[in-house]
């Protein structure tokens, strides 16, 4: 051999070793995938372990009526003193509500007598809709006075983890954000691979969460882009 090359011995796995490795990797992927729906459907309300429990509950207004009724039952059980609803426009000329926030507030007021229920709708926006809703909820609560030190958000199934993230980005470190994943009517996120609706919900949220981590950056606090995400006219 010349001075420019040397002979070395390289140990390579046999086909049996490669097959075993692929089997282990496949098994780990299956286990991780089966737990994806449960991981996305996180429920961690502020329970007072690190301070006072949350007294404010934000309910995402796009939930179906039975899911809103479940949110009302949860609010009664936890004893929230204030409930706010979020949601954008309803593009249906036959619907008597202009937006999902007002629709959800009407359902919750009928089931939460004595509790302050306020609709905080989001206008049409090109922004990440969950983040835009969080911004308008934040500004609506701040118009009443100081922002709460803690609040819980009632979302639905696998949408919960991304919802908590967006609310924490919008509110900042001054407010602790808890999250509650309501049970969807038409899907089972814990066994999402057993039905098409469940699979679409979980995989869609997983993709949205990955896109958010990769590409979403919140606009400057208080900017036009934060509230509208379109150039001012």
């Amino acid at each position: 051999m010349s001075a420019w090359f040397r002979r070395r011995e390289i140990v390579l796995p046999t086909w049996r070793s490669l097959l075993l490795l692929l089997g282990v990797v496949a098994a780990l992927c299956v286990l991780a995938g089966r737990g994806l729906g449960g991981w996305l459907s996180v429920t961690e309300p502020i329970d007072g372990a690190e301070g006072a429990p949350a007294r404010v509950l934000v309910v995402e207004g796009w939930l179906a009526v039975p899911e809103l009724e479940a949110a009302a039952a949860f609010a009664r059980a936890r004893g929230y003193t204030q409930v706010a609803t979020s949601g954008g426009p309803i593009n249906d000329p036959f619907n008597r509500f202009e937006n999902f926030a007002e629709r959800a507030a009407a359902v919750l007021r009928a089931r939460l007598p004595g509790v302050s229920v306020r609709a905080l709708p989001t206008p049409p926006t090109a922004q990440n809709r969950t983040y835009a809703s969080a911004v308008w909820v934040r500004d609506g609560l701040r118009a009443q006075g100081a922002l709460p030190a803690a609040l819980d958000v009632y979302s639905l199934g696998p949408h919960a983890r991304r919802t908590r993230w967006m609310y924490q980005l919008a509110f900042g470190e001054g407010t602790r954000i808890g999250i509650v994943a309501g049970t969807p009517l038409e899907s089972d996120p814990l066994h999402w691979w057993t039905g098409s609706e469940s699979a679409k919900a979980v995989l869609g949220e997983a993709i949205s969460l990955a896109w958010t981590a990769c590409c979403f950056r919140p606009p400057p606090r208080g900017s036009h882009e934060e509230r509208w995400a379109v150039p001012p006219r």
Side-chain angles (χ1 to χ4, degrees), residues 86-138:
S86 68
I90 296 177
N91 298 315
D92 181 358
F94 300 103
N95 197 305
R96 66 189 181 96
F97 296 104
E98 295 184 358
N99 55 73
F100 286 101
E102 293 286 355
R103 167 184 164 274
V107 173
L108 295 176
R109 287 190 189 108
R111 291 158 179 80
L112 293 172
V115 177
S116 173
V117 179
R118 184 182 179 195
L120 299 173
T122 308
T125 178
Q127 180 62 274
N128 179 302
R129 286 179 296 180
T130 303
Y131 180 76
S133 293
V135 168
W136 281 81
V137 168
R138 180 200 70 200

Side-chain angles (χ1 to χ4, degrees), residues 8-33:
R8 289 186 179 274
E9 182 176 312
I10 300 176
V11 178
L12 297 175
T14 65
W15 67 268
R16 293 184 179 86
S17 299
L18 288 174
L19 190 62
L20 177 62
L21 179 61
L22 289 175
V24 170
V25 171
L28 291 175
C29 289
V30 169
L31 290 175

